[in-house]
Amino acid sequence: MLNSFFYWVALFGSGDGCCRTKTRNLCSLVHHTTTTRQPHQCIQQIQTALEQKTHQNSSNMASSSSKISSIIPIFVGFLLVVSISPVSSAIASESVDPLPSNQTFWTGRQLQKMKWVRDHLKKINKPPLKTIQSPDGDLIDCVLSNQQPAFDHPKLKGQMPMDPPERPKGHDGTDSMPESFQWWRISGESCPEGTIPIRRTSEIDVLRASSVGRFGRKPVRRAVRRDSSSSSHEHAVGYVTGDQYYGAKASLNVWAPRVNNPNEFSLSQMWVISGSFGNDLNTIEAGWQVSPELYGDNYARFFTYWTSDAYRATGCYNLLCSGFVQTNSRIAIGAAINPTSVYNGGQFDITLLVWKDPKHGHWWLEFGSGLLVGYWPSFLFSHLANRASMVQFGGEIVNTQPSGFHTSTQMGSGHFAGEGFRRASYFRNLQVVDWDNNLLPASNFQVTADHSNCYDIRPGRNGVWGNYFYYGGPGRNVRCP
């Protein structure tokens, strides 16, 4: 039908009003018809133009007239449909695609949904003093540090970020980190003193989530590895347990693994854990992840997470709720990391340290060499208000079993541990913090993988890397159907 309509407009595009548009203006003609004229007015103009052309060229356009006459009823029907039918992309539930901005009619449910989304954005997108456009498409807002989302928490209202704590004993700070290890810093732009960089959240970001209430949170599942029967989350991790832990440190190389679909993710991180693996689970998490649902792309991004009730109602990623207090103006949590490691080529790793401040009890995060990112206040937690009972390092993916098969989402580099350096992902220099704030090599270190035919892990120890391991895999393969 549209091909015939284009042919008709090409022949009779000289009229006025809605009929003066030619093929290149089809969209504007339809819009003009539906918003400023009634269909019968435009149809009358079409018919008048047709009669004039037919009368002037009756001898050599008889065949064309018959073709055009047969098109008119179709075109009339097209105009009537456009003029009386609203665009249909209604929100049938909270798990929907973003609404188009040119929609002519929204249901009450749609309007309520958008109100929830915009109200939520007002809570997490704070007024910036400056905004930086990142080459990867992110907008980074420079927000006054005491106006960040953390200070919406009732126990933090009216306060300012804490001063830096005492570092653990044995922390040498020799690891180096380039100034522009995230995309938003490549241009040389930075946030002013007294502000922190926050990745701006858009309506589309929120609408990708399963619901507005679950945006920025992990699914309510057993998301921490403790046994091989955990649901759709699969892990290859090293861990220590059986003692009291007050922090952990490790270096891990960064990759950009392929994620099979938007409902899955791939991450590599450190977990500081306390409580049982029931509803009272407390965790502090930091690392890098690829999460199309959360960020809308496949970049590897620096992230943090926390929960005090096994991901049920407390905690969130990054700064997407009140909780984590950021103190650094050079790092944007949730922003893309650049560069990443290359298979059989250059390797890029990051060093993370999480430890409990002996004086105030808060859990601090350091990135690289001496860059304090911020802290989780101790009052956020129950068990972690005192200490951790377990520390984990490693990779995690979500397997939604597309088409009934194991996912092909990659963990780490997407290659098995046996391929070794420059090919497989690694964690090195694994350490823990003891009760006296000493940084020590992780002892009684163990490793495990939920499904070793899909993702595996191999530990080692030497004088340069201390305790280390390689891990990861491709997911679906001949041994992992």
Side-chain angles (χ1 to χ4, degrees):
M1 181 185 77
L2 287 179
N3 287 338
S4 301
F5 171 67
F6 274 100
Y7 169 74
W8 186 88
V9 173
L11 290 176
F12 299 99
S14 61
D16 60 0
C18 68
C19 299
R20 66 168 171 257
T21 56
K22 300 206 176 182
T23 54
R24 59 187 172 84
N25 289 324
L26 171 61
C27 292
S28 61
L29 182 148
V30 173
H31 175 74
H32 185 75
T33 302
T34 58
T35 57
T36 62
R37 292 179 178 271
Q38 296 299 318
H40 71 271
Q41 292 176 301
C42 192
I43 295 166
Q44 287 173 352
Q45 290 187 20
I46 294 168
Q47 290 174 327
T48 301
L50 176 62
E51 290 170 0
Q52 291 173 349
K53 289 287 183 181
T54 305
H55 179 73
Q56 294 170 1
N57 304 285
S58 56
S59 60
N60 52 9
M61 291 194 64
S63 61
S64 295
S65 297
S66 61
K67 291 179 182 179
I68 294 163
S69 298
S70 66
I71 292 167
I72 290 177
I74 299 173
F75 178 56
V76 170
F78 172 75
L79 289 178
L80 289 173
V81 168
V82 170
S83 65
I84 65 176
S85 299
V87 176
S88 175
S89 64
I91 294 181
S93 68
E94 288 196 10
S95 54
V96 296
D97 293 328
L99 296 171
S101 60
N102 63 344
Q103 182 161 329
T104 59
F105 176 74
W106 286 1
T107 65
R109 185 174 179 82
Q110 286 176 300
L111 292 172
Q112 182 61 54
K113 170 79 170 187
M114 291 309 299
K115 183 180 184 301
W116 289 336
V117 169
R118 287 164 184 163
D119 287 348
H120 191 68
L121 289 176
K122 288 178 183 178
K123 294 179 182 177
I124 58 178
N125 286 333
K126 303 300 184 180
L129 294 186
K130 175 182 178 181
T131 295
I132 299 170
Q133 175 75 60
S134 175
D136 66 341
D138 283 353
L139 291 178
I140 305 297
D141 290 330
C142 302
V143 175
L144 287 171
S145 60
N146 65 337
Q147 293 183 6
Q148 62 183 289
F151 291 100
D152 292 337
H153 195 287
K155 292 188 177 181
L156 290 175
K157 279 189 179 296
Q159 297 186 31
M160 296 291 290
M162 300 282 294
D163 291 331
E166 175 190 349
R167 300 294 207 285
K169 306 179 188 88
H171 176 52
D172 54 22
T174 57
D175 293 295
S176 61
M177 183 62 57
E179 181 70 17
S180 58
F181 67 90
Q182 291 185 308
W183 276 106
W184 73 279
R185 295 298 307 276
I186 289 177
S187 67
E189 290 275 4
S190 61
C191 283
E193 190 72 24
T195 69
I196 63 164
I198 302 179
R199 178 183 182 269
R200 186 183 300 177
T201 302
S202 69
E203 290 180 359
I204 293 176
D205 289 335
V206 180
L207 287 166
R208 280 194 303 268
S210 60
S211 71
V212 176
R214 293 304 305 174
F215 172 69
R217 303 178 189 272
K218 285 188 177 182
V220 185
R221 299 173 181 142
R222 181 170 300 183
V224 179
R225 207 229 76 79
R226 274 307 273 146
D227 57 58
S228 59
S229 64
S230 62
S231 61
S232 60
H233 290 246
E234 296 181 17
H235 307 77
V237 298
Y239 64 95
V240 292
T241 189
D243 204 343
Q244 297 178 1
Y245 306 99
Y246 294 81
K249 182 180 181 182
S251 297
L252 59 157
N253 61 344
V254 182
W255 298 84
R258 183 182 66 249
V259 173
N260 189 61
N261 69 60
N263 298 317
E264 299 180 346
F265 64 66
S266 180
L267 60 77
S268 294
Q269 68 173 57
M270 189 163 62
W271 291 260
V272 177
I273 303 166
S274 192
S276 70
F277 283 77
N279 294 338
D280 67 339
L281 180 70
N282 287 203
T283 75
I284 286 172
E285 306 171 23
W288 60 263
Q289 67 179 162
V290 176
S291 177
E293 180 182 282
L294 186 59
Y295 304 107
D297 57 41
N298 291 286
Y299 290 113
R301 294 172 176 271
F302 172 52
F303 83 96
T304 63
Y305 199 92
W306 69 274
T307 182
S308 62
D309 63 353
Y311 309 98
R312 297 171 67 83
T314 63
C316 62
Y317 282 108
N318 309 332
L319 304 182
L320 296 176
C321 65
S322 60
F324 185 83
V325 179
Q326 183 164 338
T327 60
N328 194 291
S329 63
R330 296 166 56 190
I331 298 173
I333 306 175
I337 298 172
N338 176 66
T340 56
S341 299
V342 176
Y343 183 80
N344 230 9
Q347 301 298 293
F348 179 75
D349 67 18
I350 59 177
T351 299
L352 300 175
L353 167 64
V354 173
W355 83 103
K356 189 174 179 63
D357 173 12
K359 183 176 181 180
H360 299 287
H362 306 316
W363 292 89
W364 281 81
L365 171 64
E366 181 181 279
F367 189 107
S369 179
L371 293 178
L372 284 178
V373 182
Y375 60 94
W376 293 270
S378 60
F379 62 72
L380 295 175
F381 306 102
S382 52
H383 301 290
L384 279 176
N386 299 312
R387 65 187 71 87
S389 57
M390 184 179 190
V391 174
Q392 288 187 172
F393 313 86
E396 175 185 353
I397 64 94
V398 170
N399 173 27
T400 60
Q401 294 187 311
S403 304
F405 299 101
H406 192 284
T407 183
S408 58
T409 285
Q410 299 173 331
M411 179 187 292
S413 68
H415 294 263
F416 286 114
E419 295 195 37
F421 185 63
R422 299 203 306 168
R423 297 176 180 86
S425 302
Y426 64 76
F427 275 71
R428 62 179 176 87
N429 298 114
L430 308 176
Q431 298 174 284
V432 295
V433 180
D434 72 3
W435 65 273
D436 197 27
N437 204 31
N438 294 300
L439 194 58
L440 305 171
S443 60
N444 300 318
F445 183 71
Q446 303 176 63
V447 299
T448 187
D450 293 336
H451 301 286
S452 59
N453 288 334
C454 310
Y455 315 100
D456 67 353
I457 183 169
R458 290 190 182 184
R461 180 177 176 81
N462 62 38
V464 178
W465 277 17
N467 281 321
Y468 71 88
F469 62 85
Y470 290 104
Y471 71 101
R476 186 182 178 190
N477 64 81
V478 292
R479 295 186 295 127
C480 175

PDB file of all heavy atoms in Angstrom, residues 6-14 53 61 64 68:
ATOM      1  N   PHE A   6       3.347   6.209  -2.425  1.00  0.00           N
ATOM      2  CA  PHE A   6       4.513   6.987  -2.841  1.00  0.00           C
ATOM      3  C   PHE A   6       4.436   7.295  -4.336  1.00  0.00           C
ATOM      4  O   PHE A   6       4.739   8.393  -4.766  1.00  0.00           O
ATOM      5  CB  PHE A   6       5.815   6.218  -2.540  1.00  0.00           C
ATOM      6  CG  PHE A   6       6.315   6.439  -1.156  1.00  0.00           C
ATOM      7  CD1 PHE A   6       6.087   5.513  -0.154  1.00  0.00           C
ATOM      8  CD2 PHE A   6       7.023   7.590  -0.840  1.00  0.00           C
ATOM      9  CE1 PHE A   6       6.543   5.724   1.121  1.00  0.00           C
ATOM     10  CE2 PHE A   6       7.490   7.803   0.441  1.00  0.00           C
ATOM     11  CZ  PHE A   6       7.239   6.872   1.421  1.00  0.00           C
ATOM     12  N   TYR A   7       4.010   6.308  -5.126  1.00  0.00           N
ATOM     13  CA  TYR A   7       3.887   6.509  -6.567  1.00  0.00           C
ATOM     14  C   TYR A   7       2.846   7.579  -6.862  1.00  0.00           C
ATOM     15  O   TYR A   7       3.042   8.469  -7.681  1.00  0.00           O
ATOM     16  CB  TYR A   7       3.486   5.170  -7.210  1.00  0.00           C
ATOM     17  CG  TYR A   7       3.070   5.289  -8.665  1.00  0.00           C
ATOM     18  CD1 TYR A   7       4.003   5.496  -9.661  1.00  0.00           C
ATOM     19  CD2 TYR A   7       1.721   5.187  -9.008  1.00  0.00           C
ATOM     20  CE1 TYR A   7       3.606   5.608 -10.983  1.00  0.00           C
ATOM     21  CE2 TYR A   7       1.319   5.293 -10.327  1.00  0.00           C
ATOM     22  CZ  TYR A   7       2.272   5.508 -11.314  1.00  0.00           C
ATOM     23  OH  TYR A   7       1.882   5.617 -12.624  1.00  0.00           O
ATOM     24  N   TRP A   8       1.729   7.557  -6.127  1.00  0.00           N
ATOM     25  CA  TRP A   8       0.665   8.537  -6.331  1.00  0.00           C
ATOM     26  C   TRP A   8       1.137   9.947  -5.990  1.00  0.00           C
ATOM     27  O   TRP A   8       0.915  10.887  -6.726  1.00  0.00           O
ATOM     28  CB  TRP A   8      -0.549   8.171  -5.465  1.00  0.00           C
ATOM     29  CG  TRP A   8      -1.725   9.061  -5.753  1.00  0.00           C
ATOM     30  CD1 TRP A   8      -2.679   8.900  -6.684  1.00  0.00           C
ATOM     31  CD2 TRP A   8      -2.009  10.293  -5.083  1.00  0.00           C
ATOM     32  NE1 TRP A   8      -3.558   9.938  -6.651  1.00  0.00           N
ATOM     33  CE2 TRP A   8      -3.172  10.817  -5.685  1.00  0.00           C
ATOM     34  CE3 TRP A   8      -1.394  11.002  -4.066  1.00  0.00           C
ATOM     35  CZ2 TRP A   8      -3.732  12.008  -5.277  1.00  0.00           C
ATOM     36  CZ3 TRP A   8      -1.955  12.183  -3.665  1.00  0.00           C
ATOM     37  CH2 TRP A   8      -3.120  12.683  -4.274  1.00  0.00           C
ATOM     38  N   VAL A   9       1.810  10.113  -4.858  1.00  0.00           N
ATOM     39  CA  VAL A   9       2.283  11.427  -4.456  1.00  0.00           C
ATOM     40  C   VAL A   9       3.280  11.967  -5.458  1.00  0.00           C
ATOM     41  O   VAL A   9       3.322  13.158  -5.746  1.00  0.00           O
ATOM     42  CB  VAL A   9       2.905  11.371  -3.052  1.00  0.00           C
ATOM     43  CG1 VAL A   9       3.564  12.698  -2.699  1.00  0.00           C
ATOM     44  CG2 VAL A   9       1.835  11.050  -2.021  1.00  0.00           C
ATOM     45  N   ALA A  10       4.105  11.100  -6.027  1.00  0.00           N
ATOM     46  CA  ALA A  10       5.078  11.556  -7.017  1.00  0.00           C
ATOM     47  C   ALA A  10       4.374  12.154  -8.230  1.00  0.00           C
ATOM     48  O   ALA A  10       4.855  13.113  -8.833  1.00  0.00           O
ATOM     49  CB  ALA A  10       5.971  10.395  -7.440  1.00  0.00           C
ATOM     50  N   LEU A  11       3.214  11.602  -8.613  1.00  0.00           N
ATOM     51  CA  LEU A  11       2.482  12.120  -9.768  1.00  0.00           C
ATOM     52  C   LEU A  11       1.699  13.382  -9.439  1.00  0.00           C
ATOM     53  O   LEU A  11       1.626  14.313 -10.250  1.00  0.00           O
ATOM     54  CB  LEU A  11       1.488  11.051 -10.263  1.00  0.00           C
ATOM     55  CG  LEU A  11       2.110   9.812 -10.939  1.00  0.00           C
ATOM     56  CD1 LEU A  11       1.004   8.826 -11.279  1.00  0.00           C
ATOM     57  CD2 LEU A  11       2.865  10.214 -12.191  1.00  0.00           C
ATOM     58  N   PHE A  12       1.119  13.449  -8.249  1.00  0.00           N
ATOM     59  CA  PHE A  12       0.204  14.538  -7.913  1.00  0.00           C
ATOM     60  C   PHE A  12       0.648  15.245  -6.650  1.00  0.00           C
ATOM     61  O   PHE A  12      -0.107  15.360  -5.699  1.00  0.00           O
ATOM     62  CB  PHE A  12      -1.224  13.989  -7.749  1.00  0.00           C
ATOM     63  CG  PHE A  12      -1.745  13.354  -8.997  1.00  0.00           C
ATOM     64  CD1 PHE A  12      -1.699  11.982  -9.145  1.00  0.00           C
ATOM     65  CD2 PHE A  12      -2.232  14.134 -10.033  1.00  0.00           C
ATOM     66  CE1 PHE A  12      -2.173  11.397 -10.303  1.00  0.00           C
ATOM     67  CE2 PHE A  12      -2.711  13.532 -11.181  1.00  0.00           C
ATOM     68  CZ  PHE A  12      -2.680  12.158 -11.331  1.00  0.00           C
ATOM     69  N   GLY A  13       1.878  15.734  -6.601  1.00  0.00           N
ATOM     70  CA  GLY A  13       2.409  16.391  -5.421  1.00  0.00           C
ATOM     71  C   GLY A  13       2.403  17.887  -5.523  1.00  0.00           C
ATOM     72  O   GLY A  13       3.108  18.559  -4.794  1.00  0.00           O
ATOM     73  N   SER A  14       1.648  18.471  -6.409  1.00  0.00           N
ATOM     74  CA  SER A  14       1.719  19.918  -6.604  1.00  0.00           C
ATOM     75  C   SER A  14       0.593  20.671  -5.943  1.00  0.00           C
ATOM     76  O   SER A  14       0.507  21.879  -6.062  1.00  0.00           O
ATOM     77  CB  SER A  14       1.718  20.216  -8.109  1.00  0.00           C
ATOM     78  OG  SER A  14       0.532  19.727  -8.686  1.00  0.00           O
ATOM     79  N   LYS A  53      -5.809  16.802 -13.116  1.00  0.00           N
ATOM     80  CA  LYS A  53      -4.761  16.130 -13.863  1.00  0.00           C
ATOM     81  C   LYS A  53      -5.356  15.227 -14.928  1.00  0.00           C
ATOM     82  O   LYS A  53      -4.866  15.142 -16.045  1.00  0.00           O
ATOM     83  CB  LYS A  53      -3.887  15.305 -12.906  1.00  0.00           C
ATOM     84  CG  LYS A  53      -3.004  16.165 -12.012  1.00  0.00           C
ATOM     85  CD  LYS A  53      -1.873  16.755 -12.791  1.00  0.00           C
ATOM     86  CE  LYS A  53      -0.944  17.556 -11.896  1.00  0.00           C
ATOM     87  NZ  LYS A  53       0.170  18.162 -12.632  1.00  0.00           N
ATOM     88  N   MET A  61      -3.046   9.570 -20.252  1.00  0.00           N
ATOM     89  CA  MET A  61      -2.943   9.114 -18.861  1.00  0.00           C
ATOM     90  C   MET A  61      -4.135   8.270 -18.436  1.00  0.00           C
ATOM     91  O   MET A  61      -4.443   8.151 -17.273  1.00  0.00           O
ATOM     92  CB  MET A  61      -2.798  10.292 -17.910  1.00  0.00           C
ATOM     93  CG  MET A  61      -1.476  11.003 -18.036  1.00  0.00           C
ATOM     94  SD  MET A  61      -1.175  12.118 -16.671  1.00  0.00           S
ATOM     95  CE  MET A  61      -1.103  10.973 -15.317  1.00  0.00           C
ATOM     96  N   SER A  64      -2.989   5.411 -16.223  1.00  0.00           N
ATOM     97  CA  SER A  64      -2.553   5.864 -14.895  1.00  0.00           C
ATOM     98  C   SER A  64      -3.752   6.220 -14.037  1.00  0.00           C
ATOM     99  O   SER A  64      -3.778   5.959 -12.846  1.00  0.00           O
ATOM    100  CB  SER A  64      -1.626   7.077 -15.012  1.00  0.00           C
ATOM    101  OG  SER A  64      -0.444   6.716 -15.671  1.00  0.00           O
ATOM    102  N   ILE A  68      -4.679   4.919 -10.308  1.00  0.00           N
ATOM    103  CA  ILE A  68      -4.825   5.846  -9.186  1.00  0.00           C
ATOM    104  C   ILE A  68      -6.189   5.691  -8.543  1.00  0.00           C
ATOM    105  O   ILE A  68      -6.331   5.730  -7.328  1.00  0.00           O
ATOM    106  CB  ILE A  68      -4.589   7.283  -9.671  1.00  0.00           C
ATOM    107  CG1 ILE A  68      -3.148   7.433 -10.106  1.00  0.00           C
ATOM    108  CG2 ILE A  68      -4.936   8.298  -8.611  1.00  0.00           C
ATOM    109  CD1 ILE A  68      -2.897   8.651 -10.962  1.00  0.00           C
TER     110      ILE A  68
END
